[in-house]
Amino acid sequence: MLHAQFDPTARRDLAVTVVDAKTRRDLTWQQLANAAGLSVAFVTAALLGQHALPLSAAKAVAALLDLDEEAVRLLQTVPTRGSVPGGVPTDPTIYRFHEMLQVYGTTLKALVHEQFGDGIISAINFRLDVRKVTDPEGGERAVITLDGKYLPTRPF
């Protein structure tokens, strides 16, 4: 049976343990995702406390990270989501995403509504991809794809 967490503390503490174990074992998020048999974005989010993992995936990553049965159980629970506490984020990388939404949020909203109508883009029926590509002008660029199902507003 699937169970839900209502206090984010346990999952947050487990995320700290996961990152420590990942670092000590010199593993990548991709290696953990490969073991879990799921996408790197989903597994990373799950291990950072934002998704529940299926039993087989939880066991696979726990084995690589040398986590106990309690961690396996906790990795399967539906978390209380939200990884950025209130206010403007202070971490520079997260802040830049916040800045992007501050600058382009209304543009994204206007374009989504113009092309799809009144509704939202799901963060549950969702895919995320992050790729590094060469910038023709020198250096590198980050290509981030947010792929969410459109859910129309339905009058009732």
Side-chain angles (χ1 to χ4, degrees):
M1 177 194 299
L2 195 57
H3 295 281
Q5 291 289 309
F6 292 97
D7 178 357
T9 308
R11 288 299 293 271
R12 191 170 38 244
D13 292 347
L14 180 56
V16 170
T17 300
V18 163
V19 170
D20 181 60
K22 174 188 168 295
T23 302
R24 280 187 283 107
R25 286 166 178 71
D26 196 29
L27 295 168
T28 65
W29 295 114
Q30 185 64 62
Q31 288 170 312
L32 294 168
N34 291 348
L38 299 167
S39 78
V40 67
F42 187 86
V43 171
T44 303
L47 294 176
L48 294 178
Q50 299 304 304
H51 291 304
L53 285 175
L55 176 60
S56 61
K59 284 184 174 183
V61 297
L64 275 180
L65 296 171
D66 195 28
L67 300 176
D68 62 18
E69 285 300 313
E70 174 65 15
V72 171
R73 183 192 61 75
L74 194 54
L75 284 170
Q76 295 173 77
T77 61
V78 177
T80 299
R81 292 179 170 96
S83 61
V84 181
V88 176
T90 56
D91 176 85
T93 302
I94 297 172
Y95 173 78
R96 291 299 176 227
F97 284 102
H98 177 79
E99 178 184 45
M100 287 175 218
L101 286 177
Q102 288 286 49
V103 173
Y104 292 104
T106 53
T107 300
L108 290 167
K109 176 180 172 50
L111 292 172
V112 164
H113 292 311
E114 183 176 280
Q115 293 177 32
F116 293 90
D118 184 11
I120 63 168
I121 306 300
S122 175
I124 301 301
N125 189 337
F126 187 80
R127 294 182 189 99
L128 166 69
D129 185 51
V130 179
R131 291 184 305 116
K132 179 171 58 171
V133 298
T134 302
D135 187 337
E137 297 175 6
E140 297 168 332
R141 299 187 68 80
V143 177
I144 300 166
T145 303
L146 308 173
D147 179 354
K149 181 175 182 164
Y150 175 74
L151 303 171
T153 299
R154 294 187 180 166
F156 58 94

